[in-house]
Amino acid sequence: MSRTPPAPPLAEQVAELLARPGPLPLVTAGDPVLRRPAEPFEGQLDDALLGRFVAALRETMHAAPGVGVAAPQVGVGLRIAVLEDPAEVDAEVREARGRVPLPFRVLVNPVYEAVDGERAAFFEGCLSVPGYQAVVARHARVRLRALDGRGRAVVEEYAGWPARIVQHETDHLGGTLYLDRAEPRSLVSAPQAPRWTQPTPHAAARALGFDLPPEPEPR
Ligand code: CO
């Protein structure tokens, strides 16, 4: 007796998500999919479905709007994320945060490592934790290893805000939210956010009572 093998569940799940047009619904903190390490991508989606999924992630990121979306944020436990930051900020913010434009990127099975010991601390937020932001001290520079959307190996170094985005999105794929790495006393709820839009979090650190990493030596 022969039986048709069951359809791969992840492919089925993604096909179902893509059946409806428009941005994908985002899942928020408290959904276990955000806390499970995602599965390495090993062809669970065929090329056509992967291409459509990546396009939908990009549309979702633009609609939010955000500068990155990881597959678990749309409920899909695969190690895939998209990044893109037009960095439309004023010159003072750009300088202080290293917020330079990041062209669209697809990351498949990304891992990162610190390039050196320097850390940079700034407020960040997450589409899966709506209404809050907090200060996270992250590696100032990272080396990223990943595959791109066509399966080609990529090794790149990132600094400034792009390095922060790479770490934030890659962390999602390991079940880590930015809050896990944040200064708890820096947590800011939406009504208070207008107070803390300065280019750096120094004033917030003094007023709310949390520490920042040491200033880097001039390079
Ligand atoms: Co996030």
Side-chain angles (χ1 to χ4, degrees):
M1 185 173 127
S2 73
R3 261 160 52 128
T4 313
L10 276 161
E12 209 170 81
Q13 183 196 354
V14 169
E16 201 169 300
L17 269 179
L18 298 180
R20 256 169 281 157
L24 305 173
L26 288 161
V27 302
T28 54
D31 189 317
V33 72
L34 292 172
R35 291 316 203 165
R36 279 194 292 267
E39 283 182 31
F41 179 73
E42 291 165 341
Q44 293 95 329
L45 316 181
D46 65 27
D47 288 353
L49 190 57
L50 177 63
R52 288 174 59 215
F53 183 48
V54 164
L57 288 174
R58 188 178 190 187
E59 182 184 359
T60 305
M61 170 173 69
H62 289 168
V67 295
V69 168
Q73 293 184 276
V74 298
V76 175
L78 280 174
R79 295 188 63 87
I80 298 172
V82 297
L83 326 174
E84 185 173 14
D85 184 9
E88 286 155 355
V89 293
D90 64 41
E92 201 189 354
V93 167
R94 173 165 307 195
E95 173 68 20
R97 302 183 190 170
R99 186 147 179 196
V100 294
L102 172 63
F104 179 69
R105 285 277 191 291
V106 182
L107 305 185
V108 174
N109 300 340
V111 292
Y112 66 80
E113 61 189 4
V115 170
D116 53 38
E118 189 180 323
R119 298 179 82 78
F122 291 101
F123 277 106
E124 63 182 74
C126 177
L127 297 172
S128 293
V129 189
Y132 291 92
Q133 43 179 308
V135 171
V136 188
R138 293 194 180 274
H139 303 303
R141 282 171 285 279
V142 293
R143 188 172 300 111
L144 169 76
R145 293 169 206 278
L147 302 177
D148 69 11
R150 291 176 182 174
R152 294 174 298 212
V154 171
V155 182
E156 289 173 326
E157 282 192 18
Y158 287 86
W161 209 256
R164 178 166 300 268
I165 298 170
V166 162
Q167 291 170 80
H168 180 118
E169 299 309 329
T170 302
D171 284 355
H172 268 301
L173 305 178
T176 294
L177 295 177
Y178 84 99
L179 290 173
D180 303 345
R181 303 192 189 281
E183 287 291 338
R185 293 184 64 108
S186 73
L187 188 70
V188 168
S189 55
Q192 296 298 323
R195 283 178 187 251
W196 307 121
T197 56
Q198 300 86 356
T200 75
H202 286 98
R206 284 192 297 274
L208 302 176
F210 60 90
D211 291 328
L212 293 172
E215 291 294 319
E217 299 294 319
R219 287 157 61 81

